[in-house]
Amino acid sequence: MPELSIDGHALRVAQGTTLAAALSLGGTGCSRTSVSGQRRAPLCGMGICQECRVTVDGQRRLACQTLCRDGMRVETQP
């Protein structure tokens, strides 16, 4: 079972879990903050809407298309 960090909080998930699902399991379900200050969450689940953008180990990724792996550091705030 992979263990990852989401905004500094440890979370263990089942193998094959997407980051979008982990965000929902690990707290608020939000993936980013919009330019107007509103919290945003995954919407389409297939990478079209781009609402699930997060930073993974310093790289921007789509949470709905990224599988969790052990040691991953995920940040939802800029």
Side-chain angles (χ1 to χ4, degrees):
M1 293 180 75
E3 184 173 319
L4 58 146
S5 168
I6 299 177
D7 294 328
H9 301 285
L11 178 67
R12 189 174 296 274
V13 296
Q15 194 71 28
T17 301
T18 65
L19 278 178
L23 290 169
S24 181
L25 291 169
T28 66
C30 294
S31 53
R32 66 183 189 90
T33 302
S34 72
V35 294
S36 64
Q38 295 178 322
R39 294 295 287 155
R40 307 300 291 180
L43 179 66
C44 73
M46 58 185 173
I48 302 297
C49 73
Q50 306 283 307
E51 290 295 333
C52 66
R53 293 186 311 262
V54 293
T55 303
V56 178
D57 299 327
Q59 301 284 321
R60 298 297 282 170
R61 301 277 183 242
L62 296 178
C64 70
Q65 294 182 344
T66 305
L67 294 179
C68 295
R69 59 175 164 61
D70 200 44
M72 217 179 222
R73 289 183 343 266
V74 181
E75 298 171 9
T76 63
Q77 300 295 325

